[in-house]
Amino acid sequence: MTSRRNFLTGAGAITGAVAAASVSKVAMAALPEPAIQTKPDTMAPLVPSSGRHYNPVVTLNGWTLPWRMNNGVKEFHLVAEPVVREMTPGFKAHLWGYNGQSPGPTIEVVEGDRVRIYVTNKLPEHTSIHWHGQRLPNGMDGVSGLTQKAIEPGKTFVYEFVARRPGTFMYHPHADEMTQMAMGMMGFWVTHPKERHPLIEQVDRDFVFLLNAYDIEPGSFTPKIMTMLDFNLWTFNSRISPGIDSMNVRKGDKVRIRFGNLTMTNHPIHLHGHEFLVTGTDGGPTPKSTRWYEVTTDVAVGQMRQIEFLADEEGDWAFHCHKSHHTMNAMGHDVPTMIGVDHRKVVKEITNLVPDYMVMGERGMADMAEMEMPLPDNTAPMMSGVGPFGSVEMGGMFTVVKVRRDQKPGDYQNPGWFKHPAGTVAFEFQGAPPGPARATTAGSGSMPAKTAPRKDIEVQIRKPSGHGAHH
């Protein structure tokens, strides 16, 4: 990390602020030096060296922002700037973010802390920061034009407030929001409880990440900011599978995973092999009477969720959005469905003219994971992850929770692939399988149809020819 964990301790910082304010040149001399991180790796938790103690979180493919203590105030420095984010090895995007990355670094504080955040704008346009979900003075809420003047390029503003309640929060701009959030400007915020809380249990591992999405055409570097729905890259912390790190835990650990949704649609997040409880939302910890075990929780736009489970089943367990299109990369929305279409004759003729021509999708899309097709520079295959048994055929919002009995406490390193005990892996049957039972009728329906076709009709497959007369 190109940062300095031990910050300067000079005086002169603004105190007692009651609204977001511009920093004078005199005060600039006392600013905390901004920590910068450009590597996309999951960094170790930042154990607090000053202030009240807490159990720190681990940001998936990210890091926690260091701070300095200044007369009892925790001071942070965020720099809004253009960044280059590696979304998966071989594919980088030109985004906007904070302190060298998108999303920006996670901010961790303790309930009751007085927090001062310096925000320097190195973007080509004005910006602001909204502290999503926080209770604070109105003038610190970060809505440009409504609660403060916008932060112009080259300027530094100060936000100061008390972290009044524990919970899971986010930060993002409230200035030209459509552009700036589409370009990746967002970050995570965690406020830890100052003492034992009846609704917040101690956990062994605490992971955080943001759900965000981009529309980046294959071969290009910059997101299309005008896209409303048809995104082609669905990400955890601006990373796409197989570039998303696994969450590595010890068998028997109590695990908490926090995530926030800053995409344009909802995401049903699903965990394999375990049941979990939703223990926190936007409003803070959930009452115990509202909790029940489930394996999927839906996260709407702008919401945060906090889930907890006991990692008591060893293995490599999938963790992903259950919208199947959100576990694919660089999708083409206008690709026709070719399943069932016999291309053999036309492929032979075209190959005589174009030797590298290959057909796509006539038996489904799984072949895409096996083909080594030539791709434009700076893009990612639709599904390219490889597991111990072959292609995983997933991309986008997909990673793995790795549970191991020999993972040491506090060790977040990837333990490699799970070694399955003998007799616990599905295998090919070598004998003659019995004939399967098959449905023979579609059912009678709830009522007879008013009109019915004179004879049974079998749908004939034909080659797609565009949208035709669709309007």
Side-chain angles (χ1 to χ4, degrees):
M1 179 187 295
T2 54
S3 65
R4 300 210 174 113
R5 296 278 189 183
N6 298 317
F7 285 125
L8 306 174
T9 56
I14 296 174
T15 59
V18 294
S22 181
V23 180
S24 69
K25 291 183 179 179
V26 174
M28 279 286 281
L31 287 178
E33 182 180 353
I36 305 298
Q37 174 62 267
T38 57
K39 293 175 62 177
D41 305 336
T42 299
M43 297 298 169
L46 180 58
V47 178
S49 59
S50 59
R52 288 182 262 200
H53 180 74
Y54 56 82
N55 186 34
V57 303
V58 171
T59 304
L60 199 60
N61 290 102
W63 58 299
T64 290
L65 185 64
W67 67 88
R68 72 176 182 191
M69 296 300 297
N70 187 355
N71 294 322
V73 180
K74 269 187 180 172
E75 292 187 335
F76 299 85
H77 192 174
L78 285 173
V79 179
E81 60 185 348
V83 302
V84 175
R85 177 63 162 173
E86 182 189 80
M87 303 191 82
T88 196
F91 174 30
K92 294 182 179 181
H94 292 178
L95 306 177
W96 290 358
Y98 301 94
N99 297 58
Q101 280 199 357
S102 166
T106 297
I107 294 175
E108 291 186 79
V109 302
V110 178
E111 177 188 12
D113 280 351
R114 175 165 284 277
V115 181
R116 183 179 299 131
I117 308 110
Y118 296 88
V119 180
T120 299
N121 183 11
K122 292 187 178 181
L123 298 173
E125 67 168 358
H126 65 250
T127 190
S128 72
I129 295 190
H130 167 57
W131 312 100
H132 189 112
Q134 302 275 8
R135 284 183 173 261
L136 36 59
N138 184 236
M140 295 292 172
D141 195 45
V143 182
S144 64
L146 177 65
T147 64
Q148 69 167 86
K149 291 183 177 180
I151 309 172
E152 298 296 335
K155 300 293 185 181
T156 297
F157 272 49
V158 182
Y159 296 86
E160 184 170 336
F161 54 90
V162 173
R164 291 167 55 182
R165 63 186 181 92
T168 301
F169 308 103
M170 303 182 282
Y171 63 86
H172 60 80
H174 237 299
D176 193 12
E177 190 170 324
M178 182 192 76
T179 298
Q180 295 185 14
M181 291 184 67
M183 289 290 289
M185 296 191 69
M186 56 193 69
F188 219 94
W189 177 302
V190 175
T191 300
H192 298 277
K194 63 182 177 182
E195 54 193 19
R196 292 297 298 266
H197 192 289
L199 299 178
I200 302 176
E201 295 188 15
Q202 297 278 30
V203 296
D204 300 293
R205 314 226 177 192
D206 198 338
F207 297 94
V208 306
F209 60 89
L210 287 171
L211 311 174
N212 45 348
Y214 301 94
D215 186 7
I216 304 177
E217 292 184 346
S220 64
F221 291 86
T222 306
K224 295 163 66 177
I225 62 172
M226 302 303 289
T227 298
M228 295 178 65
L229 296 174
D230 288 337
F231 297 92
N232 64 358
L233 296 169
W234 302 94
T235 73
F236 290 166
N237 273 356
S238 297
R239 292 280 284 186
I240 55 176
S241 181
I244 302 173
D245 285 348
S246 56
M247 291 180 275
N248 310 311
V249 308
R250 179 182 175 89
K251 184 179 180 183
D253 275 354
K254 183 70 175 294
V255 180
R256 177 184 293 132
I257 303 177
R258 314 172 193 238
F259 36 89
N261 180 8
L262 288 175
T263 73
M264 299 283 279
T265 187
N266 66 308
H267 297 279
I269 300 299
H270 175 55
L271 172 65
H272 292 210
H274 297 79
E275 308 85 27
F276 59 73
L277 295 171
V278 176
T279 59
T281 67
D282 319 60
T286 57
K288 290 188 177 180
S289 61
T290 67
R291 302 176 185 178
W292 59 84
Y293 285 100
E294 52 190 352
V295 298
T296 305
T297 185
D298 198 36
V299 193
V301 179
Q303 288 186 334
M304 286 82 78
R305 287 291 179 270
Q306 173 182 302
I307 67 171
E308 294 175 19
F309 63 97
L310 181 66
D312 56 357
E313 297 286 348
E314 276 198 289
D316 295 333
W317 301 106
F319 181 91
H320 59 95
C321 176
H322 218 290
K323 289 187 175 181
S324 56
H325 283 189
H326 296 181
T327 54
M328 301 283 281
N329 296 326
M331 295 177 294
H333 299 109
D334 298 322
V335 176
T337 298
M338 307 301 272
I339 295 173
V341 179
D342 189 345
H343 285 79
R344 285 172 293 186
K345 291 183 180 179
V346 68
V347 167
K348 184 177 180 180
E349 294 178 9
I350 294 177
T351 305
N352 290 332
L353 299 174
V354 186
D356 290 333
Y357 176 80
M358 63 179 65
V359 67
M360 294 170 51
E362 65 177 297
R363 293 179 301 277
M365 298 303 290
D367 287 348
M368 295 292 295
E370 305 295 338
M371 294 178 182
E372 295 185 3
M373 296 177 61
L375 294 171
D377 290 339
N378 198 57
T379 193
M382 292 174 67
M383 38 190 178
S384 60
V386 178
F389 299 99
S391 174
V392 179
E393 297 171 6
M394 302 291 269
M397 291 176 167
F398 180 91
T399 187
V400 176
V401 176
K402 296 192 173 186
V403 182
R404 300 290 190 276
R405 68 175 65 246
D406 54 356
Q407 192 87 359
K408 292 180 172 56
D411 181 6
Y412 291 88
Q413 295 184 78
N414 189 333
W417 298 117
F418 181 57
K419 295 178 176 58
H420 300 82
T424 65
V425 177
F427 59 94
E428 181 182 356
F429 181 66
Q430 299 296 329
R438 298 187 185 278
T440 58
T441 177
S444 59
S446 61
M447 61 187 71
K450 185 175 181 180
T451 59
R454 297 176 186 175
K455 60 180 180 178
D456 291 339
I457 297 175
E458 182 177 347
V459 177
Q460 300 296 315
I461 296 176
R462 64 179 180 83
K463 291 184 181 179
S465 58
H467 288 286
H470 291 190
H471 298 290

